[in-house]
Amino acid sequence: MRSRDLRMVGVALAAWAGAWLGTAGAGPSWGAAVLVALGAALLAWRRGSAVLVAVACVLLVAATSGGLRAEALAAGPVATLAGERAVAELVVEVRGDARVHPASGVRPAYASLDALAVEVDGRGRAWRTRTPVLLVVTGDAVGVWSHWPVGSRVRVDGRLEAAGGGDAFAAVVRVRTAGTLVRPPSASLRLVERVRAGLRASVAHRRPEPRALVPALVLGDTSALTPEVVEDFRTTGLSHLTAVSGANLTLLLAFCLVLARWVGVRGRALRVVGLATVVVFVALCRTEPSVLRAAAMGLVALAALGAGGRQAGMRHLSVAATGLLLLDPFLARSVGFVLSVLASGGIVWWARPWTLLLQRWLPRVVAESVAVPLAAHLATLPVVAAISGRVSVSGLLTNAVAGPFVGPATVLGFAAAAASLLSGHLAALLGFGAAWSAQPILWVAHAGAALPGSSRPWPATPFALVWLGGACLAAAFLLPLVLVRRWLTLALAVAMVLALVGAPRRPGWPPSGWVVVACDVGQGDGLVLRAGPHDAVVVDTGPEEGPMRRCLAELGVRRVPLLVLTHFHDDHVGGLGAVLGARPVGQVWVCPLPYPTSGVERVRAAAAAQGVPVLTPAVGATGSVGAVGWEVLGPRAGPAAEVAGEDESGRENDASLVLMVTVSGLRVLLTGDVEPAGQEAIVAAGADLHADVLKVPHHGSSRQDQAFLAATHARLAVASAGVDNDYGHPAPGTVARLRALGMQVLATNEHGGVAIEERSGRLTVATER
C-alpha cells in the first residue's frame, strides 16, 4: 500500500507534463507528449503495470486537453484581431482585482487585470464570445480600473496585441480610458464586495501597516501594502502569507478546528465546521482559479494533519493536483500552482510529525502554527530561489516565530468580515484583534529584513537549485532531532540569529582594497566610493532597499558624508531607506529638475525626517571629502534642453548630475542617465572627460553620443542593469561601441557587483560572480 500511494505522485507528474506540453501551442510539443504516452503505454503492457497505464492515459488526456484549449485561444476572433494589432471596442467582464504596478525608472505606473471578452467589435465585424484576455491599463485610467468590482461588465476601446506562447489568455488589451459600465456585478458578487469592504473598514482606524496586512492575510488583497513591507516579507520568506494559498487555508482550518474542539464540537459536527470554513473562504476570496486551487490544496493538507497519515495525504494530493490540471491545463504553467502543490506536499509529509514532536513541550495550537509554515517554507524554497534569484536565510526562523500569530490574525479577520454584515462596532472590535495579531508578524519581518545576513543571492542554475533542494531535504530529515528537544531548538534559534547578524561573506568579495564598487542593485544605479576606513560617498541607491542595504553592509560602510542622487527616477532613489536613516548622512545632493514629483517628495520627506540638508550643486563646483574629490560637469544647458523638452522622460534623464570623481588617484566619470542631447552639451562645454572608469550612461542603453564616449578615453566601462531586464540593457550595440574604443565592459546583470582598485597604475577589478 505504501508504494502504491506514493506512485500516485507519478500520475500527477504525468498530468503536469502533459498539460505543460499541450498548452505550449506548438505541434512538436503535443507530438512529444503523444510519443511519451505511447512509450509509457507500451512499457505498461510489457510489464503489466497498472500505474504505468494510468501514467500513459493521464499524460495523453492532459496533453490533448491542453492542446485543444490552446488551439481554441489561438483560433478565435480575439486572437486574430490581436495578430493584426487592431483597435477594437470590447465589452469585458472583470474577473479579478487589478494589480497596480508602481512606476519603475522611466516606466510609469500601470495596472493589469484578468478579464473575459464577451463582445468584440473590430475591423468592421462584431462577435459574441467568452474569451479570456489580459487588460493592461495606463495613464489616468489606472485609478478607475483599480476600483471596478469583480463581475462588472465594462465597454472600452483598446488595442489588441498577441499573447505569448503558453499564456492562458488570447490577447493583451492595452487600455487608456476608464470605460463605461454596461452591467454591474451580480447580487452574490455585490455581497462579497460588501463583506470585503467591511473587513477593510473594520481595520480602517488601525496603524497603516497592520491595516494593510490584515486584508492581505485574509483575502490575498495586497493593494495597500507598501513596497517596503513587500520587500521585507520577500527577504524573510514570509511572502506566502499574503497570497491566497493552500497553506494559508490550512492554517485557518487548523485554527478553527482547534477552537471548535476546545468548545466541545466533536464527530460530524467538526467536519461541518471545516466545510463551512472552506465555503466562507472561497466565497470571500471569490471563485477564481487560484482560490479554488487553494481550497483543494488546503483540504488535502488538512487531511494530512488528521488521522489519514502521510501515505494517504500524498495520494489525495496527487489526485487533487491531477484533477485540477485536467480541468484547467494552464495551471501547469502557473508558478502559483507549483508553489501551492509543493507547500501542501510539505505540509502533508512533515507538518503532522513535527507538530507531534513540538507538542511534547508546546501547546498544540502553537505547535501546529509553527510546524505548518516551516514545512511550507522548506518545500517551496528551491522554487522561490529560482524565481527571485535569492534565498531567504532567515526564512526558517521568521516563519517559526511569526507562525503562531498568523492563525489568530486570519481567523479574527474572517470574523470581522462576517460581523461587518451585522454590526460595524462588533466588526471593529474583531478588526482590532486582527490588527494586533498581525502587528507581531510585521515586527518579525522588519527585524529579520534588517539583519545583514537575512537573504543572499542564489544562482538560478540547475546545479545550484538541485543542491538547494537537497539541502532542504537534509534539513527536513534532521529537523525532528532538534524539535523534540526544547533547549536544542532554542539554541538553534539563537545560533541562527547570531549568524544572521553578520552579512554572508563570499570568497574574495569584496576585495579589501576596493575604492569604487558598482553594487548589484538590479535595474538601477547604486555606486559606492571609499572616502575613509568606514566612510563612503554613495551615488544613487537602486530601485529597492534590500540590495543596497546588503552591499553597504558587505563593504563595511558606517557613515555616508555625501549621498548623491543623480535624478529622481525610482531606479535611482527607490533604495533611499538603505542609506538615509540607516546610517549617518552628511548631505544629500540632487539634480536641479524637481521631477517626477513622487521622487522629489520622497527624497525631501526622508531627508527632513533625518534633519539632513538637501542641496543642488552648481555646475563647475569642486570639492572633496576624505579620499574622494569631485567636479560637477552637468547637467548643462544647450541642445539638451531643446531636444529633451520634447520627451518628459528624456528631459528628466538629461537633468542628471554628472560628476568627475577622483578616488585615490583613480578618475571615475559618473553619468546618471544622461542621454545623447545632454552628453553633447557637456562635450560642447569643453569639459575634461578623461577618465579611467566610465559609468555607462542610462544603464548602457542604445542612446549614446559617440563623441562623448570617445572623449572619456576610459579603460573600463561599467553598466548597471538588472538580470533579464525588459529594456535589453546594456544594449549589444553600445557594448560593441565601447569595446571598439578599447574599453573593457562589465555589467552587473552578468557579473554581479563590480569592485575596482588601482595598484601601481594598473586597474584591478573583482566581480561577485
Side-chain angles (χ1 to χ4, degrees), residues 95 169-170 219 256 441 443 456 516 521 603 607:
R95 302 298 296 273
F169 45 84
L219 306 173
C256 288
I441 303 172
W443 288 336
R456 64 169 299 165
V516 179
V521 295
V603 170

Side-chain angles (χ1 to χ4, degrees), residues 672-685:
D673 279 359
V674 66
E675 297 201 5
Q679 297 171 23
E680 291 173 11
I682 293 174
V683 172

Side-chain angles (χ1 to χ4, degrees), residues 242-254:
T242 62
V244 180
S245 68
N248 261 19
L249 178 58
T250 302
L251 283 171
L252 175 63
L253 283 167

Side-chain angles (χ1 to χ4, degrees), residues 251 254-255 355 358 363-374 399-408:
L251 283 171
F255 198 86
T355 298
L358 286 170
R364 178 172 180 174
V365 64
V366 177
E368 284 186 345
S369 297
V370 170
V372 170
L374 268 178
N399 275 274
V401 176
F405 303 101
V406 177

